[in-house]
Each structure stands twice: as structure tokens, then as C-alpha cells.
Amino acid sequence: MSRRGDWVYENNGGTCVAIAGADYCVVAADTRLSVGYSILTRDHSKICELADKCVLASSGFQGDIKALHKNLSARELLYQHQHNKRMSCPAMAQLLSNTLYYKRFFPYYAFNVLGGLDSEGKGCVFTYDAVGSYERTGFSAQGTGSTLIMPVLDNQLKSPSPLLLPARDAVTPLSESEAVDLVKDVFASATERDIYTGDKLEIVVINKAGTKREYIDLRKD
Amino acid sequence: MRLDVSAIENSFAVQVDDYAGLFGAGAGADLPAMELPTCADFDGFQKETKELMKNKKGTTTLAFIFDKGVIVAADSRASMGGYISSQTVRKIIEINPYMLGTMAGGAADCQFWHRNLGIKCRLHELANKRRISVAGASKLLANILYSYRGMGLSIGTMIAGWDEKGPGLYYVDSEGARLVGTRFAVGSGSLYAYSILDEGYRFEMSVEEAGELARRAIYHATFRDGASGGCVSVYHVGPNGWKKLSGDDVGELHYQYYPAQVTPVEQEMADAPAA
């Protein structure tokens, strides 16, 4: 595809993960920005806080991602002015889907994971493809390390499908600290085997008390 | 001895510019001629046509009409190339309480345009003070998709519902097709689903029998098609709207249909004695 003179994208690499709990949500991403085999910076955040209970992590082409995050933040501010409240996570999920689909024929090269609390205070994670198809799930990984991380998350967190009828009780979800430990573990493993993932891990935890942020060092090689 | 030059001699007369005999029998009128297809790429069009026929929509969905309404069923796997991106995709989309749409092809395309169709159907209700018919809803969608023809949308959907005329089922796709019918299966697993569906179909069936037929058809498709899997969802659309009949994991369905055989062990292996 890069033979064509009109290929305007590049993949800056990186991985994003989100896990939803009963009353919290963990959103994490590494902070490495690469082009080809070079690392441009070890300190670039892929996470954007769109609303007090809504956080977006995106990996892919950082040019498109910057534009997308700016676009969504601006729309959220408009919503605040018009409705006198901040956007809920499910509302932002639909907005992100439409924003991505409107560029269906010249897509944002962004693989997104949206995490936060829904209007009842339960954790929610929405996972997207590049053109806007989305689904509410309990956990997700996107980016270059996603194929390494998803099987581990499936093993630890998978609960009976929401499509089952009669509905089955979901497996008891992890506590907040267990979820954060799991995220640290999967990133450490992904860093070992994915050249684009590493340097530092930024973890954002959202619960009813608010948002807190933590940085963990990863392998820099 | 006369040289036999019949092979080299050209038996076709020389082309005379008389508009190929348009104004009367001219010199070129008895030229043996062959119709050539008018297309951009004469050398490659056959290969391209074969590619068109290939079913690239990795999924299995089906719907059929019977005497008690419409049954709609689908699997729940989404694949990106060889990677399974999700096993819990909702492929049966609830357009409104009495109409369902199925998803095959591009997930984003299907989700977006079904939501758009739901909005248009609601606007029709508000403007006309009555529900839109299944024919009308499918036409709305088909016209939109036709206008995007050739631009790369990938949608293979069935619109199923119950309106004033009774049960209705339409197949609509991104090539611009809109077909009315009583039995459809769409996706890479459709061939497997068709075989089970066609074999077991009768117009008079109870709702349970019809649901079981649909479930088995999707199960068999997930068994043989790598791009289909996850859970089978079966819906029934009756005169009072749609209702979800069942949702089953295909892994568990397999052992329901084909229980594991306990093979008798002739010589049991004994644990090695602890040294």
C-alpha cells in the first residue's frame, strides 16, 4: 500500500487497554511514540479525559488522534453549554462512533478504547474499530500489542456473553487494585514481545471519588 | 504444380468504410463478426467478476417467513482478517419494536445505516401518523445504499418485520440489490445454513420448531465456517412485534446436539509406582 503516492497515514504504534469493574474503570496506555524502527519520544500520552467520568485512549496515527481528541473535547464543551451537564460515557460513545463514521471514506487512523462510568455508576468500556463500529464490553485492548494482551484478558476476565438467553450471571469482577495489577502485568508481557510497546505506562482509574493517574516504568528497549 | 496458398489467404474481405452496411448491404455485410463485451478492462473483467461472486462477509445470518411470522437468527463473531475482534457482536439490530435488521459485512456500515434507518422510520411515523411498512423501510435503505454504490460500503442485510400486510422479509445489500423473499441466508456461512434450513423448512411450523430450525442452521454454519461463531441469537417477529427466543453459546450447543461419547477404556494406564 505504501507504493501508492497517496498514502498519507503512518502508524505510531502503542497499545491501549481498558477494564470495567462494578464501580470503577481502569484505562491504560503506554507512552512510546514510534515511526518505523525509531522511537520519537518516550513520553507521549495517548489518553484524553473527555468528561469527568469518561476517558478515551487511542493508538494508531497520532496526527489523526490529536485531531480526534480535540474534536471530541470541543463537542463535549458545546454539550455542557447546551445541556448544563457533562456528557455521560454512553453518550460520548455514540458521538465517537458517529464522528468516526462521518470520515468513512477518509478514516481517522485511530483504534480507540473509551472507558468510564455510566449514569448508574457502573464501569463501562466501549471498543471501536477505525470507522466507528462499537460495542460495550467488560474489557478491551487495542493497538499493536492488542493481539498479545486480549487472550490474557479473555482468560482472566471473560464473563458469559450478554447475548445469552436466559441471561447468566457474570463472573464476579475483580476489585480495583486487582484490575490495576492485571493491567501492569499484561503491559509488562506485551512490552517483552511487541517492539512498539514500552517506556512508560500511564494508568487512569475512574471511580465515584474522581479520577486518579499513575505512571509505571516499562522496559525501554 | 500450383502452390497451395489457401492457408495464408485472408478469406475476410477488406474493411470498407460504409458504416458496416448500415445503409444497405455493402462489402462488409457478410464479415464474420464477434460481439465483444464493452467494458473498461477487457483482459481482466472475468477475474474481477469471479471476485465479485466470492462471499467476503464473514458471518452467518438467516431469516425466513412461516405461518406464524418471521424468524431471524445470527451468530455473533466479528473478524478482522484472521483475528477474532469480538465474540459478542449484536448482529440482529432492533430498528423499532416490530422491525429487525441483520448485520453482515462491514460492522460500522451496518450499525450506522441501520441506526439511520431507524431514525427515518420514526420520522415517517411522526409525519404520516402510521407505521412504515417493511417494503417502505427496505426501500429507504436500498435507495441510500444504491447512491453509495461503488464507493466501498459492505452491507448484506435483511429487513424483517410485521406490518399491515402481514410478515415481510427483504434482502438489501450494498451492491444495490433489494429482493423480496421467504427464505434468506447471508454471509460466508450462508451456504451451510441454507442446507439445514432448506432441508427442514415447512410453512406450517410452531414457533418453537421454527426457532430450533434456525438455531441448528446457524450452529452448523459456525461449525464449518471459521468466520462464524460465538452465540446464536434467534428472534421471532409476530403480529405484536419481535421477541428474542433464545441465545446460546455454540460451544455448548455442540455438546447438546452431539453428546460426548465416553469411550470404554480397555487397559487403563496405572500411575507409575512412586520410587
PDB file of all heavy atoms in Angstrom, chain B residues 223-235:
ATOM      1  N   PHE B 223     -20.075 -24.294  12.823  1.00  0.00           N
ATOM      2  CA  PHE B 223     -19.216 -25.475  12.924  1.00  0.00           C
ATOM      3  C   PHE B 223     -18.231 -25.533  11.775  1.00  0.00           C
ATOM      4  O   PHE B 223     -17.058 -25.891  11.956  1.00  0.00           O
ATOM      5  CB  PHE B 223     -20.092 -26.724  12.955  1.00  0.00           C
ATOM      6  CG  PHE B 223     -19.333 -27.999  13.201  1.00  0.00           C
ATOM      7  CD1 PHE B 223     -18.778 -28.244  14.446  1.00  0.00           C
ATOM      8  CD2 PHE B 223     -19.160 -28.922  12.200  1.00  0.00           C
ATOM      9  CE1 PHE B 223     -18.068 -29.410  14.688  1.00  0.00           C
ATOM     10  CE2 PHE B 223     -18.455 -30.096  12.424  1.00  0.00           C
ATOM     11  CZ  PHE B 223     -17.906 -30.336  13.669  1.00  0.00           C
ATOM     12  N   ARG B 224     -18.705 -25.205  10.569  1.00  0.00           N
ATOM     13  CA  ARG B 224     -17.858 -25.379   9.393  1.00  0.00           C
ATOM     14  C   ARG B 224     -17.191 -24.105   8.895  1.00  0.00           C
ATOM     15  O   ARG B 224     -16.215 -24.163   8.164  1.00  0.00           O
ATOM     16  CB  ARG B 224     -18.714 -25.974   8.245  1.00  0.00           C
ATOM     17  CG  ARG B 224     -18.968 -27.464   8.408  1.00  0.00           C
ATOM     18  CD  ARG B 224     -17.722 -28.275   8.227  1.00  0.00           C
ATOM     19  NE  ARG B 224     -17.917 -29.694   8.464  1.00  0.00           N
ATOM     20  CZ  ARG B 224     -16.952 -30.610   8.407  1.00  0.00           C
ATOM     21  NH1 ARG B 224     -15.722 -30.243   8.128  1.00  0.00           N
ATOM     22  NH2 ARG B 224     -17.222 -31.875   8.624  1.00  0.00           N
ATOM     23  N   ASP B 225     -17.730 -22.941   9.260  1.00  0.00           N
ATOM     24  CA  ASP B 225     -17.169 -21.689   8.762  1.00  0.00           C
ATOM     25  C   ASP B 225     -16.328 -21.033   9.849  1.00  0.00           C
ATOM     26  O   ASP B 225     -16.816 -20.772  10.938  1.00  0.00           O
ATOM     27  CB  ASP B 225     -18.302 -20.762   8.324  1.00  0.00           C
ATOM     28  CG  ASP B 225     -17.789 -19.411   7.888  1.00  0.00           C
ATOM     29  OD1 ASP B 225     -16.680 -19.346   7.323  1.00  0.00           O
ATOM     30  OD2 ASP B 225     -18.514 -18.422   8.097  1.00  0.00           O
ATOM     31  N   GLY B 226     -15.065 -20.778   9.550  1.00  0.00           N
ATOM     32  CA  GLY B 226     -14.192 -20.181  10.555  1.00  0.00           C
ATOM     33  C   GLY B 226     -14.560 -18.759  10.927  1.00  0.00           C
ATOM     34  O   GLY B 226     -14.276 -18.298  12.032  1.00  0.00           O
ATOM     35  N   ALA B 227     -15.225 -18.066  10.003  1.00  0.00           N
ATOM     36  CA  ALA B 227     -15.543 -16.670  10.290  1.00  0.00           C
ATOM     37  C   ALA B 227     -16.849 -16.509  11.055  1.00  0.00           C
ATOM     38  O   ALA B 227     -17.256 -15.382  11.330  1.00  0.00           O
ATOM     39  CB  ALA B 227     -15.609 -15.884   8.989  1.00  0.00           C
ATOM     40  N   SER B 228     -17.503 -17.606  11.404  1.00  0.00           N
ATOM     41  CA  SER B 228     -18.753 -17.514  12.177  1.00  0.00           C
ATOM     42  C   SER B 228     -18.567 -18.252  13.482  1.00  0.00           C
ATOM     43  O   SER B 228     -17.897 -19.283  13.530  1.00  0.00           O
ATOM     44  CB  SER B 228     -19.924 -18.155  11.429  1.00  0.00           C
ATOM     45  OG  SER B 228     -20.077 -17.575  10.170  1.00  0.00           O
ATOM     46  N   GLY B 229     -19.183 -17.712  14.564  1.00  0.00           N
ATOM     47  CA  GLY B 229     -19.063 -18.383  15.857  1.00  0.00           C
ATOM     48  C   GLY B 229     -19.675 -17.551  16.949  1.00  0.00           C
ATOM     49  O   GLY B 229     -20.433 -16.615  16.691  1.00  0.00           O
ATOM     50  N   GLY B 230     -19.343 -17.877  18.205  1.00  0.00           N
ATOM     51  CA  GLY B 230     -19.848 -17.090  19.332  1.00  0.00           C
ATOM     52  C   GLY B 230     -21.174 -17.634  19.834  1.00  0.00           C
ATOM     53  O   GLY B 230     -21.256 -18.771  20.259  1.00  0.00           O
ATOM     54  N   CYS B 231     -22.194 -16.803  19.785  1.00  0.00           N
ATOM     55  CA  CYS B 231     -23.520 -17.201  20.258  1.00  0.00           C
ATOM     56  C   CYS B 231     -24.519 -17.115  19.121  1.00  0.00           C
ATOM     57  O   CYS B 231     -24.413 -16.255  18.258  1.00  0.00           O
ATOM     58  CB  CYS B 231     -24.040 -16.236  21.331  1.00  0.00           C
ATOM     59  SG  CYS B 231     -23.103 -16.279  22.819  1.00  0.00           S
ATOM     60  N   VAL B 232     -25.511 -18.033  19.150  1.00  0.00           N
ATOM     61  CA  VAL B 232     -26.611 -17.966  18.191  1.00  0.00           C
ATOM     62  C   VAL B 232     -27.745 -17.200  18.847  1.00  0.00           C
ATOM     63  O   VAL B 232     -28.194 -17.585  19.917  1.00  0.00           O
ATOM     64  CB  VAL B 232     -27.157 -19.368  17.870  1.00  0.00           C
ATOM     65  CG1 VAL B 232     -28.188 -19.288  16.773  1.00  0.00           C
ATOM     66  CG2 VAL B 232     -26.063 -20.323  17.509  1.00  0.00           C
ATOM     67  N   SER B 233     -28.199 -16.125  18.224  1.00  0.00           N
ATOM     68  CA  SER B 233     -29.376 -15.414  18.733  1.00  0.00           C
ATOM     69  C   SER B 233     -30.521 -15.675  17.792  1.00  0.00           C
ATOM     70  O   SER B 233     -30.357 -15.585  16.576  1.00  0.00           O
ATOM     71  CB  SER B 233     -29.127 -13.908  18.762  1.00  0.00           C
ATOM     72  OG  SER B 233     -28.033 -13.611  19.554  1.00  0.00           O
ATOM     73  N   VAL B 234     -31.681 -16.037  18.321  1.00  0.00           N
ATOM     74  CA  VAL B 234     -32.862 -16.301  17.496  1.00  0.00           C
ATOM     75  C   VAL B 234     -33.993 -15.386  17.943  1.00  0.00           C
ATOM     76  O   VAL B 234     -34.301 -15.306  19.133  1.00  0.00           O
ATOM     77  CB  VAL B 234     -33.322 -17.773  17.616  1.00  0.00           C
ATOM     78  CG1 VAL B 234     -34.502 -18.026  16.701  1.00  0.00           C
ATOM     79  CG2 VAL B 234     -32.190 -18.715  17.277  1.00  0.00           C
ATOM     80  N   TYR B 235     -34.567 -14.673  17.010  1.00  0.00           N
ATOM     81  CA  TYR B 235     -35.685 -13.767  17.285  1.00  0.00           C
ATOM     82  C   TYR B 235     -36.901 -14.203  16.493  1.00  0.00           C
ATOM     83  O   TYR B 235     -36.782 -14.760  15.400  1.00  0.00           O
ATOM     84  CB  TYR B 235     -35.344 -12.337  16.842  1.00  0.00           C
ATOM     85  CG  TYR B 235     -34.408 -11.563  17.731  1.00  0.00           C
ATOM     86  CD1 TYR B 235     -33.068 -11.910  17.855  1.00  0.00           C
ATOM     87  CD2 TYR B 235     -34.851 -10.440  18.427  1.00  0.00           C
ATOM     88  CE1 TYR B 235     -32.213 -11.181  18.651  1.00  0.00           C
ATOM     89  CE2 TYR B 235     -33.994  -9.690  19.215  1.00  0.00           C
ATOM     90  CZ  TYR B 235     -32.680 -10.073  19.324  1.00  0.00           C
ATOM     91  OH  TYR B 235     -31.824  -9.343  20.094  1.00  0.00           O
TER      92      TYR B 235
END
